Amino acid sequence: MLNKVASDPRQRIPSVEKVLQLDGAKELLELYGQTQVTFAIRRVLNQLRTELSEDKLHLLSLENIVSECQKWLKVQQTSSLKGVLNLTGTVLHTNLGRAVIAPKARDAALKVMSSPVNIEYDTVQGERGERDDHVEHLICQLTGAQAATFVNNNAAAVLLALNTFAIGKQVVVSRGELVEIGGSFRIPDIIARAGCELFEVGTTNRTHKKDFDLAINPSTAALLKVHTSNYSIEGFTAEVSLHAMAQIANSHHVPFIADLGSGTLINLEEFGLSHELTVRETIEAGADLVTFSGDKLLGGPQCGIIAGKKEYIQRIKSNPLKRALRFDKIILSILESTLRLYQHPEKLAHELPTLRYLLRSQDEIEQLALRIFPTLQDLLKKDFNVSVASCHSQVGSGSLPVDRLPSMGFQITPIHPQFSATKLAAMFRNLPVPMIGRLHKSDLWLDLRCLENENDFLEQLQHLKMPL
Ligand SMILES: *Cc1c(COP(=O)(O)O)cnc(C)c1O
């Protein structure tokens, strides 16, 4: 007798156990293990339960179920953090992880990661040691500071310094320096979170020595100068020199803290770039404490460095917050080997990727562009005009904010309005190694300053599905 009532197709969904018995599933078990595979099967079967209808019965095939599991497991296994090609023209791009670590520093970190290390152990005396000691002497040597201490990033360095000296008290800052960096670091907020009160002096464009003199009161605990990292104030301006601020702070026995932001250990002018006040110059001009980042112009790992007078550094080291903000052995090792590169300045421009990128000549970048050009043009020519064009890179991360470095790249202009540069940019971003360019007006620009090997670029082009 025929059953006239159409049976619910969902009753034909196999059990998890049945799928697990399949040969295809056994391969997955080998690769991903019982827990993940069972989870994936449950997921796929649940999905079937909600999607299945008479016209989708093909979804029920066991091969389809296994292949859906496989697809899902593969996506799950792919890390969302991956290497990209930085073609934005911004060398120190905060969203792309800032400085690329030097190979020597990377190798040193590998060793430290895979064995116990004497990070806080004095192997000579056989007793407890200090983690800062491994790099403090290097910073002192390279900056002329008496002492130094290290934390997770420069925001933490500023927070810790302010909290140490001015909790419950006032920090005096010029109104022209109340900066916001990258959206989440704002000087007024950091001062508040450090438990201090902000005392603003002067105006946006002009601050005078007398403004600071008048601000000092019994509640004053520190003077702070902040590098205006991502903008410049031009025109009718006045700022108080480091030297004058140091004098005021000194005569009132409060520390003068200079937040350099990027901070550099070398005179960039000697390398043909614009002058950026060095850490050494800032200390020589009278700053008691200088804070700066490890992964900006320094070209090392993310960390924050505080360098300056011994008595002040000592007090910072004994602040309980220091323990909460300390850096780890991997970062320590990368920082140490990066700083050692600075001991050999003749080779620095070769060994330190950040400096190497900054110093690349437009000619060299153009040669690279011309080697890639035929392949790129061939691929895109149906829908886009591609040309090798001169452009300007920037340092980024608030270093030398107004400097522009003559560079070379590809200017890609859509021929038909339906193929937008925005769409092409998205395709480049979706490559196995995402290529990140810059949209300007209706064009996509790929600046080649930070690309060293054309094969890295050409290899990705093979994955581009053209025409669109
Ligand atoms: C970048 C910057 C910071 C923050 O440094 P991070 O290392 O990103 O924490 C603080 N101050 C200034 C002036 C900066 O330029």
Side-chain angles (χ1 to χ4, degrees), residues 180-230:
E180 171 180 305
I181 292 140
S184 53
F185 179 86
R186 292 173 138 198
I187 288 292
D189 296 345
I190 288 285
I191 291 175
R193 288 290 167 155
C196 316
E197 189 190 333
L198 166 64
F199 193 116
E200 302 173 32
V201 297
T203 60
T204 307
N205 58 329
R206 291 170 70 83
T207 301
H208 306 282
K209 181 172 177 295
K210 66 170 189 294
D211 296 322
F212 280 98
D213 283 328
L214 288 171
I216 304 286
N217 69 75
S219 201
T220 307
L223 266 59
L224 175 67
K225 185 164 186 65
V226 185
H227 187 285
T228 55
S229 290
N230 43 10

Side-chain angles (χ1 to χ4, degrees), residues 74-321:
K74 199 165 174 192
V75 171
Q76 289 302 302
Q77 287 293 313
T78 313
S79 168
S80 66
L81 183 66
K82 48 188 156 191
V84 304
L85 295 183
N86 175 6
L87 307 174
T88 61
T90 300
V91 176
L92 295 167
H93 199 300
T94 297
N95 304 138
L96 301 181
R98 293 192 185 155
V100 170
I101 302 301
K104 275 188 182 160
R106 174 201 60 205
D107 295 346
L110 267 181
K111 282 195 191 144
V112 161
M113 283 156 72
S114 30
S115 96
V117 288
N118 62 337
I119 184 166
E120 288 183 357
Y121 189 77
D122 181 337
T123 46
V124 178
Q125 303 296 330
E127 56 193 34
R128 194 182 182 288
E130 289 296 323
R131 81 174 49 203
D132 286 354
D133 285 357
H134 300 281
V135 270
E136 184 171 2
H137 63 106
L138 291 171
I139 283 291
C140 293
Q141 192 188 97
L142 293 165
T143 66
Q146 294 172 358
T149 189
F150 306 86
V151 286
N152 253 319
N153 51 40
N154 186 38
V158 178
L159 180 85
L160 182 63
L162 294 175
N163 178 270
T164 304
F165 300 103
I167 186 166
K169 295 189 167 172
Q170 289 177 356
V171 179
V172 190
V173 194
S174 160
R175 283 204 170 85
E177 297 171 3
L178 296 175
V179 302
E180 171 180 305
I181 292 140
S184 53
F185 179 86
R186 292 173 138 198
I187 288 292
D189 296 345
I190 288 285
I191 291 175
R193 288 290 167 155
C196 316
E197 189 190 333
L198 166 64
F199 193 116
E200 302 173 32
V201 297
T203 60
T204 307
N205 58 329
R206 291 170 70 83
T207 301
H208 306 282
K209 181 172 177 295
K210 66 170 189 294
D211 296 322
F212 280 98
D213 283 328
L214 288 171
I216 304 286
N217 69 75
S219 201
T220 307
L223 266 59
L224 175 67
K225 185 164 186 65
V226 185
H227 187 285
T228 55
S229 290
N230 43 10
Y231 66 101
S232 68
I233 297 181
E234 284 171 51
F236 186 53
T237 64
E239 72 174 313
V240 182
S241 69
L242 288 166
H243 186 70
M245 282 186 71
Q247 275 186 334
I248 300 167
N250 253 325
S251 63
H252 293 90
H253 310 290
V254 295
F256 169 34
I257 304 168
D259 173 22
L260 280 186
S262 185
T264 173
L265 302 176
I266 48 173
N267 183 357
L268 292 172
E269 259 171 333
E270 286 174 14
F271 293 87
L273 297 166
S274 300
H275 186 74
E276 167 91 5
L277 200 69
T278 65
V279 178
R280 183 183 290 277
E281 286 165 339
T282 312
I283 289 171
E284 280 170 2
D288 295 313
L289 292 168
V290 180
T291 59
F292 56 106
S293 286
D295 57 353
K296 291 185 178 174
L297 277 174
L298 197 150
Q302 179 193 303
C303 64
I305 302 165
I306 313 176
K309 294 227 169 85
K310 197 166 193 130
E311 54 165 308
Y312 289 132
I313 294 290
Q314 213 46 51
R315 280 176 63 190
I316 293 175
K317 285 182 178 179
S318 48
N319 182 337
L321 260 187

